[in-house]
Amino acid sequence: MFFMLFPILVWYAIFHYGPLYGVQLAFKDFSPIRGIWGSEWVGFEYFKFLFFQSPDFLRILKNTVIISCYNIIFGFPAPIILALLMNEIRFGLFKRVAQSISYIPHFFSWVVLSGIIMMMLSPTHGPINYLLSLVNIDPIYFLADSNYFRSTLVVTNIWKEIGWGTIIYLAALTGVDPTLFEAAKIDGADRFKQIRHISIPSILPVITIMFILSLGGILNAGFDQIFNLYSPTVYNVSDIIDTYVYRAGIVNGQFGLTTAVGLFKNIIGITLVLGTNYVVKKMGQEGVL
């Protein structure tokens, strides 16, 4: 078993622990000629710039938190609800087909899906706006209007990931003792009462763990999705930390600044995970640690 585990340990050592060596870039004025060790220390200058001098960072941080919170509020319960509904399907073939169809969007990259979404939401020839025109509603620029862009992000993200997210909850539901449902039926409980008093409490530990992990990624608002869908017209509501890191780090070569941003994200993430885990365990639920 240790021999089988060895390749995974090597992978983690190279790609997860090895890059920690570069964290010091957040405190150095990096020069490619001098290298990481030879570059001069600048202390917390990058952090001071981000929080007190940068005209954009606080707006970008706000956008990131808002979009992530929307995804948690509306996206996190979606696969739970779908899993509970699928668990109630008694016709096996229909259940398998429905599951397969719901999984499909997950396997497409956002590069592909962004093209489909742009076509579907086009204000000139998109089917969504065509349906709106049938009820005398003017075309809506979903991807170019600041009032609709965040909602579009949340809805399309749910559509892509809802099926894949049900897998772990369906697996947990299969472990529920069937005799509990039989006893509930004898006591006169209908389907909704069975879901409320048996299904949900049975998978609550899994829901709790997934919620803790979701909070840990609150500053990851979805770079792939936003990068492929946003435009300068909606930068004020769509520009997030990851897109800022892309422009500053890869396009402009500000490696020290972007490393500082990444370190800040990781500190916030681990703090939220540990804090939420502590609160959840105090409430008597299972945590991740």
Side-chain angles (χ1 to χ4, degrees), residues 180-227:
L180 295 176
F181 295 101
E182 295 173 2
K185 289 179 182 179
I186 295 173
D187 290 339
D190 57 22
R191 288 283 184 88
F192 291 102
K193 289 183 178 179
Q194 292 176 36
I195 292 174
R196 179 182 175 185
H197 296 289
I198 299 176
S199 299
I200 294 179
S202 297
I203 65 172
L204 191 58
V206 176
I207 294 175
T208 302
I209 292 173
M210 297 303 294
F211 181 70
I212 293 173
L213 297 176
S214 296
L215 282 183
I218 197 169
L219 294 185
N220 296 319
F223 171 78
D224 291 345
Q225 179 190 18
I226 294 176
F227 183 75

Side-chain angles (χ1 to χ4, degrees), residues 108-279:
F108 289 93
S109 70
W110 277 113
V111 176
V112 175
L113 291 181
S114 63
I116 297 174
I117 293 169
M118 289 177 184
M119 180 186 67
M120 296 289 291
L121 300 180
S122 172
T124 55
H125 55 270
I128 302 299
N129 274 299
Y130 173 74
L131 294 175
L132 294 177
S133 67
L134 296 179
V135 291
N136 297 320
I137 297 178
D138 294 332
I140 298 175
Y141 292 76
F142 291 97
L143 298 178
D145 190 332
S146 300
N147 296 319
Y148 294 96
F149 187 79
R150 286 174 178 165
S151 301
T152 304
L153 288 178
V154 174
V155 172
T156 53
N157 186 61
I158 292 175
W159 167 64
K160 183 178 187 295
E161 300 296 343
I162 186 172
W164 188 254
T166 61
I167 293 177
I168 189 169
Y169 299 113
L170 284 172
L173 286 168
T174 57
V176 180
D177 189 353
T179 59
L180 295 176
F181 295 101
E182 295 173 2
K185 289 179 182 179
I186 295 173
D187 290 339
D190 57 22
R191 288 283 184 88
F192 291 102
K193 289 183 178 179
Q194 292 176 36
I195 292 174
R196 179 182 175 185
H197 296 289
I198 299 176
S199 299
I200 294 179
S202 297
I203 65 172
L204 191 58
V206 176
I207 294 175
T208 302
I209 292 173
M210 297 303 294
F211 181 70
I212 293 173
L213 297 176
S214 296
L215 282 183
I218 197 169
L219 294 185
N220 296 319
F223 171 78
D224 291 345
Q225 179 190 18
I226 294 176
F227 183 75
N228 284 285
L229 292 176
Y230 81 157
S231 62
T233 57
V234 291
Y235 270 2
N236 60 317
V237 297
S238 65
D239 201 15
I240 61 172
I241 290 177
D242 290 336
T243 55
Y244 174 78
V245 167
Y246 168 79
R247 292 197 306 274
I250 297 179
V251 177
N252 298 328
Q254 296 176 310
F255 302 110
L257 180 64
T258 52
T259 304
V261 175
L263 182 59
F264 167 73
K265 283 182 55 180
N266 291 333
I267 292 174
I268 296 298
I270 190 64
T271 301
L272 287 173
V273 167
L274 294 177
T276 309
N277 183 75
Y278 175 80
V279 173

Side-chain angles (χ1 to χ4, degrees), residues 50 53-62 239 244 247:
L50 288 173
Q53 300 175 19
S54 174
D56 301 318
F57 184 73
L58 293 181
R59 173 181 58 83
I60 291 168
L61 178 61
K62 176 184 174 182
D239 201 15
Y244 174 78
R247 292 197 306 274

